[in-house]
């Protein structure tokens, strides 16, 4: 089927070649088994190892600025509880960032991506590109030509699955180099890439694994007719804040290293913790019972009252370590303490 392209309004038609994620996950069949599955987005996986410190501070500054612009929202916030009213507060924080202009750059970046697509689908023509983007897109096309990069027809905004990384995503481009080889490509429109190259490398590596291991989703199957380079990917930086373009070579080995960390983090987050009492019930720890008995007996022998002794008993039960042997010893100690307390009271 034909790949639909965005119109100048930015709207798309439904395209089976380029399915969208549903609630953050891609509904795609497993490349090997054909089983229907949903896959975590590539962008969400790589966030597991991203340093978001400066991003979070930027968000906080935008919330503060947005609230300062709306005293009526401040009055509402003062009446809300951070736990009980979290949904309402989350919406107010989101609205405050919008008021501060936090999403303006992102919205312009999305529009710039759409304009670059229009030019690429038109074979490098500026005719379908909105007038206000033509200067930037002209620079984008010049940068591709100057660096020997040709957009592969049909390989724009396509979807892959990586079973190695258990995720799916939509890559921006596949470029053909002057030597005839193919390379994963990405377009970024943020103001600066200074802190972004590790995550960009991880993103391109995940796309590379999907393309080379299984192929590109074509609406009914994975088309493995194209293979991309394993050593590097390409990033074309078209900042939405100014008229300039730069092209960067990204080391995919560095991306693979970061993705390995993300996989480890994700797997460890799935580990279910067990209460220490459950751990010690296991046969491998039976040898610990004698030590546990001795520890509880030492505490019991140091008890000065029946009440203190019963407290120790209850704590042993909490850890499922109140054995019959301990029960016999505790009964004897309790009888002795009763006599002692009776003597003290007479």
């Amino acid at each position: 089927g034909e790949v639909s392209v965005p119109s100048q309004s930015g709207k798309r038609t439904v395209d089976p070649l380029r399915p969208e994620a549903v609630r953050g996950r891609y509904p795609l069949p497993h490349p090997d088994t054909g089983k229907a599955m949903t896959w975590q987005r590539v962008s969400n996986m790589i966030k597991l190892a991203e340093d978001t410190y400066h991003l979070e501070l930027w968000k906080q500054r935008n919330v503060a600025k947005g609230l300062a612009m709306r005293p009526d929202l401040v009055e509402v916030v003062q009446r809300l509880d951070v736990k009980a009213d979290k949904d309402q507060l989350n919406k107010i924080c989101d609205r405050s960032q919008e008021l501060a202009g936090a999403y303006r750059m992102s919205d312009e970046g999305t529009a710039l991506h759409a304009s670059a697509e229009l030019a690429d689908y038109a074979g490098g023509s500026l005719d379908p590109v909105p007038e206000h983007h033509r200067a930037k897109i002209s620079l984008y096309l010049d940068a591709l030509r100057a660096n020997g990069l040709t957009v592969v027809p049909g390989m724009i905004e396509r979807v892959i699955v990586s079973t190695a990384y258990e995720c799916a995503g939509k890559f921006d481009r596949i470029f053909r180099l002057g030597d005839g080889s193919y390379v994963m490509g990405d377009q970024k429109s943020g103001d600066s890439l200074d802190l972004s190259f590790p995550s960009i490398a991880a993103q391109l590596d995940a796309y590379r694994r999907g393309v080379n291991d299984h192929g590109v989703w074509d609406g009914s199957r994975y088309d493995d007719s194209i293979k991309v380079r394993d050593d590097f990917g390409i990033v074309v930086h078209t900042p939405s804040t100014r008229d300039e373009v730069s092209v960067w070579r990204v080391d995919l080995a560095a991306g693979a290293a970061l993705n390995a960390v993300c996989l480890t983090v994700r797997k460890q987050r799935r580990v279910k913790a067990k209460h220490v009492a459950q751990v010690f019930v296991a046969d491998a720890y039976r040898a610990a019972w004698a030590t546990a008995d001795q520890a509880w007996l030492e505490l019991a022998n140091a008890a000065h009252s029946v009440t203190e002794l019963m407290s120790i008993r209850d704590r042993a039960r909490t850890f499922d370590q109140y054995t019959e042997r301990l029960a016999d010893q505790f009964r004897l100690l309790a009888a002795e303490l009763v006599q002692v307390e009776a003597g003290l009271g007479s």
Side-chain angles (χ1 to χ4, degrees), residues 209-228:
R209 287 298 301 265
V211 170
N212 289 349
D213 292 351
H214 311 295
V216 180
W217 178 248
D218 74 355
S220 60
R221 66 183 186 89
Y222 295 93
D223 177 7
D224 62 358
S225 60
I226 192 169
K227 302 294 182 184
V228 296

Side-chain angles (χ1 to χ4, degrees), residues 15 18 37 47-48 59 94 129 176 217 261 304 343:
D15 182 1
R18 304 195 296 188
M37 297 182 63
K47 287 177 182 176
L48 294 173
K59 289 181 178 179
D94 189 62
V129 177
R176 185 171 60 248
W217 178 248
V261 172
H304 296 292

